[in-house]
């Protein structure tokens, strides 16, 4: 345990986390002035804003996605917080659910970003210092620093969410110009049961935006026109006031139904109702958009009630017992929208699969057991961090996101991940890629699903799975990066890693 004085430096300002709320409809058909010719706008590179599933699929052929996201700094505390909701679960194909971390860099512990990414999660951009209406340097600097100090390939950082959900038309223009694939900052603010709902499936901006039209100047009515660039709306939950009672991010922090105190039972009730409206309707995705700090039980000074934690798990338990429900990252969901195979073919759909990189050498590669003794500790006063890729001379800033490496004590410079080697196979000390053929790299850990499966529901809350290897709960060991510095007896870590390192999504294999 670190002394409390050091801990104090690691604490992000809690006020930062409570952002991204809406209080009523954010668009209307008049304000949107949206039109799109579906006979001209076709997948995979164009999709009209529509409440119906892509490619004309009927809802019964469509998986119900629960997109799980977290925002802000990545630290052991925030990883612990996410783990308490996801680590023990399994999707219908036996894979541990993956999520998206919209990462800002103040207080971020870079080595944990590497670990979280190598475990199969999506790392996305949330600016360097968490600012609204972000200047371009905040967006680009986040990419550059995450690539240099966390070893995340540029090609893997494809998404963005604006801090406070505060973006402008220019933010979107810059994202498209910088070759991001998608933004996920807009809100779907009207229930799916309302004829004017704005709960569109993800769509491209070939014909401008159709969400947030009442709130953001210079968008909608055809603007901004950014062909091939995707918007992934954030889908709100609604309490019993309907459109007047939206809950977008961290709904468990809100009072439900206009009450004056938080009531977890009431929150659970409306979350279930909104889920069911999606599930029984056009199956637009639903989202748990979280700031993990608010549900941390390990963060000094944060208090969260057990009832809230249990409520969130109860919601996911309940949802997972229904057929064809998948907990996914934004990137996985978007991959499906771009290539929407019916549920009968999901067993061969690679973005939902999981695999473990086969690396046992002691190299600093995002697999905690391998990193023992190899991390650099960068002792900056504002927020010290660890990295595999060498400490910079000064902390990264938007004006200088990739400072030269510090070699003042005679340390050897480390080699940063190149574009042609994937993170778990890159040895930053020797500067070599330890695997160059596609056959030796990953082990597929997913199970046959769909028509080949006994059961299309997920699991992990008990012994739901009737086939497969060890029961998910038994093999699960919480992962928060502490392993890399701890002194567990040798022999324990390899077993833990096999159990807890989850998936590499298919595109990672593809890019090798
Ligand atoms: C930072 O990462 C190191 C190495 O994984 C870990 O030991 C430490 O607990 C982490 N600290 C925080 C605050 O995340
Ligand atoms: C982020 O860190 C920078 C550099 O230390 C500092 O100037 C800025 O105030 C910090 N921002 C927040 C929101 O903590
Ligand atoms: C968005 O951010 C800018 C710059 O920080 C600020 O001036 C503006 O008030 C913010 N807008 C909203 C709606 O929060
Ligand atoms: C909390 O919500 C539940 C479900 O709506 C309700 O039955 C209960 O009375 C509420 N409790 C309080 C203290 O308001
Ligand atoms: C909350 O749950 C934890 C773990 O189950 C337990 O140790 C703790 O005592 C509980 N706290 C309260 C206030 O019930
Ligand atoms: C990656 O590119 C470098 C520089 O072009 C080259 O030397 C190296 O052999 C390549 N490595 C692989 C694994 O293709
Ligand atoms: C799938 O498994 C769950 C949990 O064991 C069970 O409740 C559900 O009825 C099963 N569904 C089918 C179609 O067998």
């Amino acid at each position: 345990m670190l002394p409390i004085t050091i801990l104090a430096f690691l604490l992000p300002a809690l006020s930062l986390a409570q952002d991204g709320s809406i209080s009523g409809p954010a668009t209307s058909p008049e304000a949107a002035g949206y039109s799109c010719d579906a006979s001209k706008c076709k997948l995979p590179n164009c999709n009209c804003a529509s409440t119906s599933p892509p490619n004309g699929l009927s809802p019964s052929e469509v998986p119900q996605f629960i997109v799980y996201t977290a925002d802000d700094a990545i630290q052991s505390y925030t990883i612990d917080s996410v783990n308490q909701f996801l680590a023990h679960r399994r999707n219908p194909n036996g894979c541990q659910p993956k999520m998206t971390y919209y990462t800002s860099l103040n207080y971020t512990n870079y080595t944990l970003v590497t670990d979280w990414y190598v475990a199969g999660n999506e790392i996305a951009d949330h600016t360097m210092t968490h600012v609204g209406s972000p200047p371009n340097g905040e967006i680009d600097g986040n990419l550059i620093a995450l690539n240099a100090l966390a070893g995340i390939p540029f090609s893997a950082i494809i998404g963005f969410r604006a801090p406070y959900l505060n973006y402008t038309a220019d933010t979107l223009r810059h994202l498209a110009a910088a070759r991001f694939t998608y933004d996920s900052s807009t809100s779907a603010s009207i229930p799916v049961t309302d004829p004017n709902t704005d709960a569109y499936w993800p769509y491209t901006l070939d014909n401008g935006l159709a969400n947030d039209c009442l709130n953001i100047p210079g968008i909608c009515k055809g603007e901004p026109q950014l062909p091939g660039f995707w918007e992934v709306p954030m889908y709100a939950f609604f309490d019993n006031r309907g459109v007047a009672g939206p809950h977008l991010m961290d709904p468990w922090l809100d009072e439900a139904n206009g009450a004056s105190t938080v009531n977890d039972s009431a929150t659970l009730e409306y979350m279930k109702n909104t889920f069911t409206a999606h599930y029984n309707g056009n199956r637009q995705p639903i989202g748990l958009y979280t700031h993990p700090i608010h549900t941390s039980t390990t963060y000094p000074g944060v208090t969260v009630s057990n009832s809230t934690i249990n409520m969130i798990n109860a919601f996911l338990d309940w949802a997972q017992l229904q057929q064809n429900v998948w907990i996914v990252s934004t990137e996985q969901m978007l991959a499906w929208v771009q290539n929407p195979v019916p549920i009968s073919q999901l067993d061969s759909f690679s973005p939902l699969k999981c695999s473990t990189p086969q690396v046992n050498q002691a190299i600093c590669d995002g697999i905690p057991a391998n990193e023992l003794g190899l991390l650099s500790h960068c002792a900056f006063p504002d927020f010290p961090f660890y990295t595999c890729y060498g400490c910079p001379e000064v902390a990264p800033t938007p004006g200088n996101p990739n400072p030269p490496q510090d070699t003042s004590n005679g340390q050897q410079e480390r080699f940063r991940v190149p574009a042609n080697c994937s993170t778990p196979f890159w040895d930053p000390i020797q500067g070599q890629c330890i695997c160059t053929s596609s056959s030796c790299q990953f082990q597929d850990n997913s199970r046959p699903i769909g028509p080949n499966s006994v059961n299309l529901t997920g699991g992990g809350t008990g012994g739901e799975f009737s086939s497969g290897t060890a029961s998910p709960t038994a093999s699960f060991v919480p992962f928060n990066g502490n392993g890399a510095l701890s002194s567990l007896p040798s022999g324990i870590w390899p077993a833990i890693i096999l159990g807890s390192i989850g998936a590499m999504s298919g595109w990672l294999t593809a890019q090798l």
Side-chain angles (χ1 to χ4, degrees), residues 320-321 323 454-458 463-465:
Q320 282 197 287
L321 287 176
Q323 300 280 298
V454 290
N455 197 320
L456 298 174
T457 62
E464 281 91 345
F465 280 116

Side-chain angles (χ1 to χ4, degrees), residues 164-196:
Y164 315 104
L165 310 183
N166 178 345
Y167 66 94
T168 66
D170 282 340
T171 308
L172 301 175
R173 288 193 185 97
H174 178 69
L175 292 171
R179 311 266 310 271
F180 281 83
T181 302
Y182 75 88
D183 168 73
S184 186
S185 306
T186 65
S187 6
S189 59
I190 304 170
V192 292
T193 45
D194 186 309
N196 284 335

